[in-house]
Amino acid sequence: RYHQAIKENRHLYNILQELRGNIRVFCRIRPIFKFEAKSCIEYIGNDGSLMVFDPCKSQNTRKIFQFNKVFGPATTQGEVYKETQSLIRSVMDGYNVCIFAYGQTGAGKTYTMCGSSNGSYIISYFDLLINYSSTLEIMNCSGNGGLSIPNASIRGVQSTADVLNLMILGEKNRAFSSTAMNHRSSRSHSVLTIHVHGKDISGNTIRSCLHLVDLAGSERVDKSEVTGDQLKEAQHINKSLSCLGDVITALAQKNSHIPYRNSKLTQLLQNSLGGNAKMLMFIHPESDSHGETISTLKFAQRASTVELGAPHQNKESSEIRNLKEQIDNLKKALMIKE
Ligand code: ADP
Ligand code: MG
């Protein structure tokens, strides 16, 4: 009866289908700017494949990568959103969802996560999480096995405008500093979490969250020519990214120990990474740096092999509760008979 009830609810059924399986990886390739060298992407297939080559080498360096979806340079923000819409909406049905933007500085992570549909920036984020700054403590929540950041700002919102206003306010808090890679390079990871608490029309209680994670640039530190404090910061950023890589490798290999505790980033996202939620990753191979593109694509390919467990719906339904009670009663009755 439980399965029948789910099947009858077509909407819920579609969401469950959407949430099953591996981490889904979408790859977005931004347009090449006039001042940039030639593209290192040779071919984009409708089936989610793309071919990368090194334009500076004479020998054949072509490599094919396969993802769930590849968005070419002409793709609009609206088209990207459309692909993720049902996943994002599933947050309202009680599922936790985590969306990452991974890739080197300048590849278009922030544009994808925050750019408006007409191409201008509208928003940024309001808290920073970098490994060496310990201003935000991550604590275990008692009872539910989750994590919390007591000093992170949490505000109630009533409308989309409220969310956008908070994001604009938060832009001031985000650390931008110049590097050789990109003068607006963000030196930090940013995690925006939208908590959803509410009741659906049947009176079921829903508690879920959507993490939007705009990661710091994945490029090697030596390439960005930073020194001093910036170098220290970059090394810590790279450390937490490599911790994320280690967690993804351990999940992909189905290891018994998953090293979540090695960085704040992986600690915070533990529930999302470990199968209680669904993730999407956007990868942005930059046109003129073939080496970084290959390493980004390899990271993404590894992530796409991570099998997530059945997603948990954070919803307490009176109907399901009643059915469970009936099952318990029947079991007890059977035991008495035996
Ligand atoms: P990242 O956050 O990965 O460092 P940004 O999002 O800041 O990169 O993008 C770098 C530059 O490229 C910005 O000037 C941005 O406006 C531009 N850009 C990124 N993606 C696109 C796109 N899909 N279409 C047009 N311009 C883009
Ligand atoms: Mg950025």
Side-chain angles (χ1 to χ4, degrees), residues 19-270:
L19 291 167
R20 275 201 188 105
N22 291 11
I23 291 179
R24 285 199 297 150
V25 177
F26 289 4
C27 177
R28 185 177 191 183
I29 300 148
R30 73 152 163 77
I32 298 176
F33 300 137
K34 282 200 185 97
F35 56 86
E36 287 179 333
K38 262 174 60 181
S39 172
C40 64
I41 310 288
E42 190 171 277
Y43 165 80
I44 303 166
N46 288 333
D47 59 345
S49 63
L50 87 169
M51 192 189 278
V52 186
F53 76 110
D54 187 349
C56 304
K57 290 214 170 107
S58 53
Q59 76 266 36
N60 186 357
T61 58
R62 287 181 177 80
K63 282 195 174 74
I64 293 179
F65 290 86
Q66 183 79 36
F67 298 104
N68 293 92
K69 179 111 191 153
V70 178
F71 297 109
T75 312
T76 63
Q77 288 289 87
E79 284 162 344
V80 176
Y81 176 66
K82 218 170 152 198
E83 284 294 322
T84 56
Q85 200 175 23
S86 60
L87 190 72
I88 290 171
R89 284 193 178 163
S90 67
V91 176
M92 302 302 280
D93 290 294
Y95 295 99
N96 294 345
V97 172
C98 185
I99 299 182
F100 284 98
Y102 180 93
Q104 73 180 103
T105 298
K109 297 181 296 299
T110 306
Y111 181 94
T112 297
M113 301 296 264
C114 308
S116 73
S117 52
N118 65 11
S120 62
Y121 278 93
I122 46 169
I123 49 177
S124 187
Y125 298 136
F126 54 88
D127 268 310
L128 305 174
L129 267 181
I130 55 172
N131 223 26
Y132 89 114
S133 156
S134 56
T135 49
L136 290 177
E137 278 302 319
I138 295 173
M139 319 270 283
N140 289 312
C141 294
S142 54
N144 67 4
L147 294 161
S148 75
I149 314 169
N151 295 326
S153 24
I154 297 183
R155 309 278 172 85
V157 287
Q158 303 287 332
S159 63
T160 309
D162 284 355
V163 178
L164 294 179
N165 283 336
L166 270 183
M167 288 170 146
I168 290 162
L169 176 74
E171 189 166 16
K172 293 174 194 151
N173 296 343
R174 187 150 197 210
F176 285 108
S177 68
S178 300
T179 70
M181 297 297 291
N182 178 341
H183 65 101
R184 288 189 70 218
S185 161
S186 48
R187 314 281 334 130
S188 54
H189 307 301
S190 117
V191 181
L192 168 70
T193 304
I194 299 173
H195 297 272
V196 177
H197 294 181
K199 279 205 164 100
D200 66 9
I201 43 169
S202 321
N204 305 315
T205 311
I206 283 173
R207 270 176 183 270
S208 53
C209 60
L210 168 66
H211 292 299
L212 298 174
V213 187
D214 186 1
L215 293 167
S218 59
E219 61 274 3
R220 289 189 308 276
V221 181
D222 56 354
K223 227 182 151 190
S224 56
E225 295 169 19
V226 291
T227 52
D229 278 354
Q230 283 196 346
L231 176 66
K232 202 172 144 199
E233 196 178 63
Q235 282 165 343
H236 280 287
I237 289 163
N238 275 22
K239 183 177 173 285
S240 63
L241 273 183
S242 76
C243 290
L244 178 64
D246 292 345
V247 163
I248 284 180
T249 303
L251 286 169
Q253 292 171 351
K254 296 195 166 79
N255 291 356
S256 55
H257 173 69
I258 313 291
Y260 292 114
R261 299 200 69 81
N262 287 354
S263 79
K264 285 188 175 179
L265 181 72
T266 49
Q267 248 179 299
L268 180 70
L269 301 173
Q270 181 165 348

Side-chain angles (χ1 to χ4, degrees), residues 244-310:
L244 178 64
D246 292 345
V247 163
I248 284 180
T249 303
L251 286 169
Q253 292 171 351
K254 296 195 166 79
N255 291 356
S256 55
H257 173 69
I258 313 291
Y260 292 114
R261 299 200 69 81
N262 287 354
S263 79
K264 285 188 175 179
L265 181 72
T266 49
Q267 248 179 299
L268 180 70
L269 301 173
Q270 181 165 348
N271 278 353
S272 307
L273 292 162
N276 190 26
K278 191 73 189 175
M279 286 197 290
L280 286 180
M281 289 202 170
F282 292 97
I283 313 293
H284 309 259
E286 209 187 357
S287 52
D288 65 345
S289 44
H290 175 257
E292 292 294 349
T293 298
I294 293 286
S295 82
T296 297
L297 292 170
K298 283 187 174 160
F299 181 93
Q301 209 157 51
R302 203 159 9 117
S304 71
T305 66
V306 173
E307 232 176 86
L308 297 172

